[in-house]
Amino acid sequence: MKGLKPALLLLLPLLLTWWSAGRAQITEAEITSQELLNHISFLASDTLKGRRSGSPEAERAAEYIRDQFAADGLVLLGKEGLQSFEVLNSLSAGEHNRLSIGGEHAVPGRDFTPLAFSENGELAAAVHFAGYGFAIETDSLTWQDFAGQELKGKWALILRDGPPPPASGQDRFEPHRSLRKKAQAARDHGAAGVLFVPAAAQEEESLPRLNADQGLGSLGIPLFHIRRSLADRILAGSGVTLAGLQQQLDSTLTPASMALPCTVDARAEVVRQMGRTHNVVGLLPGSDPLLRDEYVIIGAHYDHLGMGGPGSGSRRPDTLAVHNGADDNASGVAGLLELAEKWAAATEKPKRSLLFVAFAAEEMGLLGSKHFVDHPLVDLSRAQLMINMDMIGRLNPATRAMTFGGTGTAAGLDTLVISLAAAHDLHPTLSPEGYGPSDHASFYARDIAVLFVWTNISEEYHTPEDDAWRINAQGEQDVVSLVFDISREAADRSSRLAFQEAGPKSQPATSRRFKVTLGIMPDFTSTSGKGLRADAVMPDRPAARAGMKKGDIIIAMEGKPVGDIYEYMNRLADFRVGQRISMEILRDGVKQILIVEL
């Protein structure tokens, strides 16, 4: 106190009163719409450029979240609150790709390009035509393009795709068209490299793009896409043409493999630019000596799509612009931060410990949550419940309807959600399944009960229009307050929640067997240019699991229009197994957006 001026001494009681009021306010911190909006406005600002994992802007977002956790007094886990791991930032064809046939050089980027999962390396060797690259041996189908062939150390020249599907009935070759599967079969039979060439109906105006989400794992041998004109140069001395060989394969449905009198000298170079990103983890220790070693985990992913573009997941893939991701998922992170602040300041601390986790790289395939469960910072066998908030900022003020997934993963979760939601005048739709397209799926796969909280898909999902001003901040405050009550019940109950399985723990195998399928019977007469009607929707297939119904009209997929059966087939051909896509439908004249796991 020494040296204080008289005027300051007169103000001291007022300052102490202000300080005490501030402390009391902190002690009884509330979840407020303004604070939620402040967090969202920062995370979804243009300066953060869409928070793509591995970018400097995602690093800033992680530091912001970590600093909020630290200010609340949470125990920071990992390295100062950050659990780091690598992600693939970008994939590109290197400068040293080359391919020559009999000394005649092809042009990289025009005549050929490496595959995303190619190994970097050189190979000068003879070529062996291996048909469609099938190695099929099932009860109903046998097709062995490699049987009896000598491929060791050679290039395998393989047609992409397979024989045309029948006009009616099941396409027997659909599960066997994957390029990775074909390349693996060629490698298993001794091939030292693979040259993939389009089937006649597939010839593109441009070579396939290298997408980062396809390039994490090299197959160990050089792999190329080449044009049909290049394949015909390889076949020139054999007395056959690619068109003739494909016609023979498609008409006889039997292999037509052969050695070719040609040598290809090539080098593949795929440049994989890696980056580091971080889960952000803070712990609030429980107050009960007997229960504090058990955990309620509350999570939300903070990454988004960056600037968008092809392969990013944007529903406007032809538009390069900041994808701010206000609802997806700055809204969930804002809820996480407000919950951490309220819990940390609460006079009555939870009996069990609360673990707050902001996940990175969810948009890249749940990479952050998968890394966390593979490298847990707490004993996950002691986890009571994982609550995941993903897109909670667009509550419809008229209906106040929202969705809770995972309500069947522990006995009594459904009744708990219903009773607490009623107290907040919220109207939840319950989905018992534990698996879903967000980070809770990683925990459900480890036998941990989960709740997936969201306020449903908006028109601006995965577009540059997902901005902070569209957020229903008051609605989000109500949702987060409900989550607080749920976390209180889970943290303070005397007994452990009894985990129970509720559906598959991964993407169902039925959709993995096929290259791409929705599981609908399309109206093949849909040629009006106004969409494709579903005459039937098969149960437990991707479309049905996404909520599609008979009579729905598909009008767009991943933001690209679907006018008729022809556009539908073309759009479908662009997707891959395991991809999550958005699909716009008309149901009774009202447009809706569904999220489909292929």
Side-chain angles (χ1 to χ4, degrees):
M1 297 291 181
K2 186 178 180 180
L4 285 175
K5 295 182 178 181
L8 186 56
L9 288 172
L10 292 174
L11 288 173
L12 187 57
L14 294 174
L15 291 172
L16 290 174
T17 301
W18 170 84
W19 181 84
S20 299
R23 291 295 297 170
Q25 186 178 22
I26 292 173
T27 302
E28 301 299 331
E30 293 300 326
I31 297 163
T32 71
S33 58
Q34 187 59 57
E35 289 183 345
L36 287 166
L37 196 56
N38 289 345
H39 292 310
I40 294 169
S41 296
F42 172 76
L43 293 169
S45 63
D46 285 351
T47 58
L48 261 64
K49 297 182 180 178
R51 311 183 305 279
R52 181 171 175 83
S53 285
S55 70
E57 292 76 25
E59 187 90 5
R60 285 183 61 193
E63 291 171 353
Y64 175 85
I65 297 164
R66 188 263 313 278
D67 292 347
Q68 297 292 319
F69 284 172
D72 293 333
L74 299 186
V75 178
L76 300 179
L77 303 187
K79 186 175 181 180
E80 298 180 347
L82 303 180
Q83 184 190 40
S84 303
F85 60 98
E86 283 196 333
V87 293
L88 182 63
N89 270 354
S90 64
L91 200 67
S92 60
E95 297 179 356
H96 301 102
N97 282 288
R98 58 174 174 79
L99 189 150
S100 62
I101 303 167
E104 185 177 350
H105 295 281
V107 178
R110 187 193 72 184
D111 299 324
F112 71 96
T113 190
L115 271 70
F117 49 96
S118 172
E119 178 71 8
N120 291 343
E122 299 182 62
L123 177 64
V127 183
H128 199 103
F129 178 71
Y132 281 115
F134 290 148
I136 305 171
E137 193 68 50
T138 68
D139 292 340
S140 59
L141 178 63
T142 296
W143 187 316
Q144 294 288 350
D145 281 310
F146 304 108
Q149 306 298 309
E150 180 51 62
L151 276 82
K152 187 174 182 179
K154 297 181 180 179
W155 290 101
L157 177 64
I158 295 175
L159 281 161
R160 290 161 49 188
D161 205 63
S168 61
Q170 183 180 359
D171 180 1
R172 299 180 298 162
F173 298 100
E174 187 65 28
H176 310 285
R177 300 174 188 265
S178 160
L179 294 189
R180 185 181 284 270
K181 186 174 184 179
K182 291 182 178 188
Q184 181 174 325
R187 184 198 62 190
D188 290 347
H189 286 82
V194 179
L195 306 169
F196 281 108
V197 59
Q202 293 180 314
E203 184 69 272
E204 310 95 338
E205 292 182 4
S206 60
L207 292 163
R209 299 178 62 93
L210 285 170
N211 287 331
D213 56 355
Q214 300 172 352
L216 280 174
S218 161
L219 204 63
I221 57 176
L223 308 165
F224 289 98
H225 288 285
I226 68 171
R227 286 195 175 281
R228 287 177 67 87
S229 57
L230 209 60
D232 275 325
R233 283 165 55 185
I234 293 172
L235 292 164
S238 64
V240 294
T241 64
L242 189 63
L245 286 171
Q246 185 179 344
Q247 183 179 22
Q248 179 182 345
L249 289 166
D250 294 346
S251 60
T252 65
L253 297 181
T254 56
S257 303
M258 66 179 72
L260 302 175
C262 178
T263 296
V264 168
D265 184 359
R267 176 179 178 178
E269 183 183 52
V270 177
V271 178
R272 294 174 174 87
Q273 183 66 45
M274 305 300 292
R276 292 191 69 76
T277 193
H278 322 277
N279 294 327
V280 190
V281 189
L283 175 72
L284 180 66
S287 60
D288 190 310
L290 299 178
L291 297 177
R292 67 186 306 165
D293 289 335
E294 297 181 6
Y295 305 93
V296 173
I297 303 167
I298 307 175
H301 77 89
Y302 68 90
D303 65 305
H304 197 53
L305 308 181
M307 299 297 292
S312 67
S314 171
R315 293 175 52 238
R316 306 281 188 270
D318 298 329
T319 300
L320 288 177
V322 177
H323 285 58
N324 299 101
D327 189 33
D328 186 16
N329 184 36
S331 66
V333 177
L336 183 73
L337 295 175
E338 283 291 275
L339 287 168
E341 180 187 30
K342 182 174 175 64
W343 267 119
T347 302
E348 185 180 351
K349 293 294 190 290
K351 293 181 180 180
R352 290 178 175 82
S353 296
L354 298 182
L355 189 70
F356 298 90
V357 189
F359 298 107
E362 188 268 358
E363 301 287 3
M364 294 180 172
L366 316 186
L367 299 185
S369 56
K370 288 177 181 176
H371 181 82
F372 183 86
V373 299
D374 287 342
H375 306 86
L377 300 179
V378 298
D379 183 358
L380 289 183
S381 70
R382 309 283 290 176
Q384 167 90 325
L385 176 68
M386 190 275 173
I387 305 172
N388 179 35
M389 297 177 290
D390 193 348
M391 295 188 292
I392 61 170
R394 299 294 296 274
L395 184 74
N396 186 319
T399 65
R400 294 181 65 80
M402 57 181 303
T403 299
F404 276 85
T407 55
T409 60
L413 270 183
D414 48 359
T415 55
L416 173 65
V417 168
I418 291 172
S419 62
L420 292 177
H424 291 269
D425 190 27
L426 292 168
H427 309 295
T429 296
L430 305 187
S431 175
E433 291 81 8
Y435 181 81
S438 192
D439 289 308
H440 61 286
S442 300
F443 291 83
Y444 174 62
R446 301 300 178 97
D447 290 348
I448 297 170
V450 297
L451 281 178
F452 175 31
V453 187
W454 61 308
T455 55
N456 302 314
I457 297 290
S458 70
E459 180 73 18
E460 292 74 34
Y461 169 76
H462 277 204
T463 73
E465 288 79 48
D466 183 7
D467 293 319
W469 67 268
R470 299 181 187 274
I471 294 295
N472 177 358
Q474 181 58 57
E476 176 161 349
Q477 176 183 330
D478 296 338
V479 171
V480 177
S481 297
L482 169 58
V483 173
F484 177 84
D485 289 348
I486 294 172
S487 65
R488 166 74 76 184
E489 290 290 330
D492 287 353
R493 60 180 287 146
S494 58
S495 60
R496 289 284 301 271
L497 288 169
F499 171 80
Q500 57 191 23
E501 287 197 18
K505 291 186 177 179
S506 62
Q507 184 178 310
T510 52
S511 63
R512 280 201 303 265
R513 294 202 323 263
F514 303 101
K515 180 181 178 183
V516 170
T517 177
L518 290 182
I520 69 169
M521 182 180 294
D523 177 6
F524 286 93
T525 65
S526 296
T527 56
S528 65
K530 298 180 179 180
L532 175 74
R533 182 179 183 273
D535 280 345
V537 179
M538 288 169 268
D540 199 32
R541 299 291 290 277
R545 288 192 291 269
M548 193 172 185
K549 297 180 180 180
K550 177 182 177 181
D552 287 348
I553 299 172
I554 302 172
I555 58 175
M557 301 173 81
E558 285 292 272
K560 294 185 177 182
V562 173
D564 53 29
I565 183 65
Y566 305 108
E567 283 193 349
Y568 167 76
M569 298 300 292
N570 288 336
R571 301 296 183 219
L572 208 58
D574 290 336
F575 305 137
R576 66 187 187 282
V577 172
Q579 187 174 356
R580 179 175 58 180
I581 67 168
S582 63
M583 186 164 68
E584 296 178 38
I585 64 167
L586 285 177
R587 179 179 295 166
D588 298 327
V590 178
K591 185 159 64 173
Q592 298 186 27
I593 300 175
L594 305 179
I595 305 302
V596 185
E597 295 271 342
L598 295 174

